[in-house]
Amino acid sequence: MAKPVILAVDDDTEVLRAVERDLRRQYGREYRVLSADRGDSALETVRKLRLRGDPVALFLVDQRMPGMSGVEFLEQAKALYDEARRVLLTAYADTQAAIHAINEVRLDHYLLKPWEPPEERLYPVLTDLLEEWWAHHPPTFEGIRVLGNRWSPRAHALRDFLGSNQVPYQWLDVEASEEGRLLLAQAGGAAVEKLPLVLFPDGTRLMGPSTLEVAERIGLKVRATKPFYDLVIIGGGPAGLAAAVYGASEGLSTVMVERSAPGGQAGTSSRIENYLGFPAGLSGSDLARRAVAQAARFGVEILTPQEVKGVRVEDPYRIVALADGTELSCHALLLAMGVQWKKLETPGIQSFTGAGVYYGSSRTEALSCKDEEVYIIGGANSAGQAALYFAQFARQVTLVVRGDSLERGMSHYLVEQVHSLANVTVLLDTEVTRVEGNAHLERLTLATKGQPERTVPASTLFIMIGAVPRTEWLDDLVARDARGYILTGPDLMPGGERPKGWKPERAPFLLETSVPGIFAAGDVRHASIKRVASGVGEGSIAISFIHQYLSEV
């Protein structure tokens, strides 16, 4: 926590210097002593402190000041720091004004000038008030603060980005939070469409920023330091992270490019309970955090958020074009983009995406769902894990499953846990046929087999109905199956013939694509096992084949 502030205000320069001297001598170690010679400049200081989130413990203010009296200053300062202790400095003739101020601004104390000796007439009073402030003052949040509207897709995307990258932040809904409205007003106010507003600990701010702007501001690496690497990895899920760790630890200069946040879809999982070596389970974000730290230890460069727009081959190099117009060249390229959630084709749903409708287990919305009813569409492990997680916050969680059984797509341990929770309901043979609302989701229409359709109130819907690969940007560079998954190794040679245009005399390695030197691992690969552990395994195995390929170059 930053040092709490003691602010002294007096228009008499000599008195102000004396007050500062006495305050610093007694409280300088534990508090930051600031001063102002006018009420209006003092208020400007207070506003800046509020925007930075700095705590103010005590105001020590002279009553007689031109332009703004001490009581008038305290009245305005109280709106910004209601918990700060308030002390008025008065001459004997102003004692009546001080007494009135006890009721007007909840004045804690008034002191008569002069206050010498301070050991008897100043410090005992202030020390008692400061101890009282500490007893009732909650720790101040010192990180990034995001102000916005709960139903804003832009605010949701920014919060999701910060959370996925494990950047601590405080969310303040300007419609539900008095502090949020106050901070917004102090920042000059803004129309809802311009939000979110991001406040940084140093007092700077960004209005309606992109995730890239925020990433650069908080120090995430978005640009590579070199034009050439031994290995470029596209995708930062379990497969990409494992390849990065194994590749860099074995001496390959490695850069990993991730469009959103390291961890991929697995990183959003609230709990992975069957991952080997973690008997109590671990969250996807914890797994991602450990892997990122491990990769950084071996010197991997991680670019995020950064998106790849295309790849071309200029032997012996593979060249990756990034969204910012820069390029990376390498000898070996690993495609580990994973998959993205399949969109629900329900009328009207697109207009509510990010405003009550979310794809995947958006943990950033958990606290907003407190005491509400949450709907989750899906019948596989991701949906089960999400149901368990949101059940900790929501009053009721309803799992909407198209199939006739949870056991068909969900692990046995998850099925048992879902059925054991009193506030989780499972609707089998059920689909969402319509979504409705105004500025955000308000109603769902459910259709259960053999029953008439019914409409239910709903403000939050999470969708986990399967996934599709992120490979459309590859065009015809590498061979893919009918669904877009990348073919590798033996799957490229169903009849024993090598891929079209294949030049090496050898057959493609197990995880090599139809282009020599370009490999694929994890969920994006055809016929891969869609599990975190298998993704990690493929990422690490790919490095062995990449070494064999590099020995040929």
Side-chain angles (χ1 to χ4, degrees):
M1 176 178 171
K3 281 185 177 182
V5 170
I6 296 175
L7 177 62
V9 188
D10 199 306
D11 66 305
D12 188 320
T13 304
E14 290 187 10
V15 172
L16 187 60
R17 286 176 181 170
V19 170
E20 283 187 273
R21 178 199 65 214
D22 290 344
L23 291 176
R24 287 199 171 96
R25 185 173 63 189
Q26 182 70 9
Y27 304 110
R29 284 190 176 185
E30 297 177 351
Y31 298 87
R32 186 153 56 108
V33 177
L34 302 179
S35 64
D37 60 2
R38 300 191 320 274
D40 55 354
S41 62
L43 275 177
E44 183 61 28
T45 297
V46 173
R47 292 187 184 101
K48 290 178 180 178
L49 291 170
R50 188 63 181 176
L51 281 174
R52 287 201 300 263
D54 292 346
V56 174
L58 185 140
F59 296 114
L60 181 60
V61 186
D62 182 44
Q63 167 60 9
R64 285 197 180 185
M65 294 187 295
M68 181 183 294
S69 70
V71 171
E72 289 170 339
F73 165 80
L74 289 174
E75 192 170 26
Q76 295 189 51
K78 177 177 174 291
L80 298 170
Y81 283 97
D82 183 55
E83 72 281 2
R85 298 303 181 253
R86 292 173 282 277
V87 179
L88 203 62
L89 279 174
T90 68
Y92 180 77
D94 296 322
T95 54
Q96 196 60 42
I99 292 171
H100 284 308
I102 293 174
N103 293 326
E104 290 177 26
V105 295
R106 295 210 321 267
L107 189 69
D108 293 293
H109 209 282
Y110 67 90
L111 294 169
L112 295 178
K113 299 178 183 179
W115 57 87
E116 290 85 0
E119 291 78 9
E120 295 181 12
R121 303 182 62 182
L122 179 68
Y123 298 152
V125 172
L126 299 191
T127 298
D128 184 59
L129 291 173
L130 289 170
E131 287 178 354
E132 185 180 332
W133 178 84
W134 275 110
H136 297 90
H137 182 71
T140 302
F141 181 80
E142 297 180 12
I144 295 169
R145 287 172 293 173
V146 180
L147 281 63
N149 181 290
R150 174 185 176 184
W151 308 116
S152 164
R154 293 174 64 189
H156 168 74
L158 182 57
R159 293 161 56 207
D160 203 44
F161 170 76
L162 290 171
S164 298
N165 280 280
Q166 302 185 49
V167 177
Y169 73 96
Q170 182 184 37
W171 163 246
L172 296 169
D173 186 341
V174 295
E175 293 190 354
S177 165
E178 181 64 34
E179 182 180 6
R181 289 191 291 272
L182 180 61
L183 286 171
L184 184 60
Q186 292 307 312
V192 173
E193 60 269 16
K194 292 185 178 181
L195 297 177
L197 170 66
V198 183
L199 303 176
F200 297 96
D202 63 359
T204 58
R205 58 194 183 224
L206 289 174
M207 179 66 76
S210 66
T211 54
L212 181 60
E213 289 175 310
V214 173
E216 292 179 318
R217 180 64 182 74
I218 63 180
L220 293 181
K221 185 184 288 289
V222 296
R223 293 176 180 83
T225 59
K226 298 181 290 186
F228 175 82
Y229 295 83
D230 295 324
L231 172 62
V232 172
I233 301 169
I234 303 176
L241 284 166
V245 168
Y246 277 84
S249 67
E250 294 178 15
L252 300 179
S253 61
T254 304
V255 62
M256 187 178 77
V257 184
E258 166 55 41
R259 67 187 299 196
S260 179
Q265 195 179 103
T268 66
S269 177
S270 56
R271 205 75 189 159
I272 304 171
E273 298 200 45
N274 56 358
Y275 193 75
L276 185 65
F278 291 85
L282 78 165
S283 68
S285 61
D286 191 33
L287 179 63
R289 177 185 58 80
R290 292 167 183 259
V292 167
Q294 197 172 16
R297 174 190 165 203
F298 290 118
V300 177
E301 286 189 40
I302 300 178
L303 310 185
T304 182
Q306 185 60 271
E307 194 162 1
V308 176
K309 288 298 184 182
V311 174
R312 69 180 188 274
V313 176
E314 294 180 5
D315 284 329
Y317 306 112
R318 281 82 188 102
I319 300 172
V320 177
L322 302 179
D324 63 3
T326 60
E327 293 185 338
L328 302 173
S329 62
C330 59
H331 281 313
L333 174 65
L334 178 65
L335 304 175
M337 297 86 69
V339 291
Q340 60 188 356
W341 292 109
K342 190 181 296 183
K343 302 300 182 183
L344 183 65
E345 300 298 331
T346 296
I349 199 167
Q350 186 175 354
S351 59
F352 299 119
T353 302
V357 173
Y358 309 99
Y359 287 90
S361 178
S362 182
R363 300 176 67 187
T364 57
E365 300 298 328
L367 292 177
S368 299
C369 297
K370 185 174 174 61
D371 298 327
E372 296 181 355
E373 183 164 3
V374 168
Y375 285 83
I376 300 172
I377 304 178
N381 281 2
S382 295
Q385 290 163 348
L388 297 178
Y389 179 72
F390 284 107
Q392 302 174 69
F393 306 92
R395 173 177 52 82
Q396 180 70 35
V397 175
T398 300
L399 199 57
V400 180
V401 184
R402 185 172 59 178
D404 60 3
S405 169
L406 273 186
E407 285 78 2
R408 290 182 184 276
M410 195 177 294
S411 295
H412 178 69
Y413 78 92
L414 272 176
V415 174
E416 289 189 328
Q417 290 184 49
V418 166
H419 285 314
S420 71
L421 294 178
N423 66 331
V424 176
T425 300
V426 179
L427 298 179
L428 300 175
D429 291 319
T430 303
E431 295 185 60
V432 173
T433 58
R434 190 180 303 113
V435 295
E436 298 173 300
N438 291 314
H440 61 87
L441 177 68
E442 295 177 343
R443 295 174 299 280
L444 298 176
T445 298
L446 303 175
T448 300
K449 189 176 181 179
Q451 299 179 22
E453 287 190 344
R454 62 193 186 280
T455 299
V456 296
S459 57
T460 312
L461 173 68
F462 298 97
I463 302 170
M464 285 160 266
I465 55 171
V468 293
R470 299 171 174 170
T471 58
E472 61 283 345
W473 58 272
L474 286 168
D475 296 324
D476 296 324
L477 178 68
V478 297
R480 296 178 290 160
D481 67 15
R483 295 187 297 164
Y485 290 94
I486 299 172
L487 298 169
T488 59
D491 292 322
L492 290 166
M493 305 184 298
E497 296 182 3
R498 293 175 183 174
K500 183 179 180 181
W502 184 263
K503 295 179 181 179
E505 294 184 5
R506 62 171 177 80
F509 294 124
L510 181 63
L511 299 179
E512 196 169 19
T513 71
S514 57
V515 177
I518 299 182
F519 298 79
D523 289 357
V524 77
R525 192 179 66 82
H526 170 79
S528 64
I529 305 299
K530 305 299 188 284
R531 290 288 186 271
V532 175
S534 62
V536 171
E538 287 192 14
S540 58
I541 292 171
I543 298 302
S544 175
F545 296 119
I546 287 170
H547 274 297
Q548 292 183 57
Y549 169 77
L550 292 176
S551 67
E552 302 173 353
V553 177

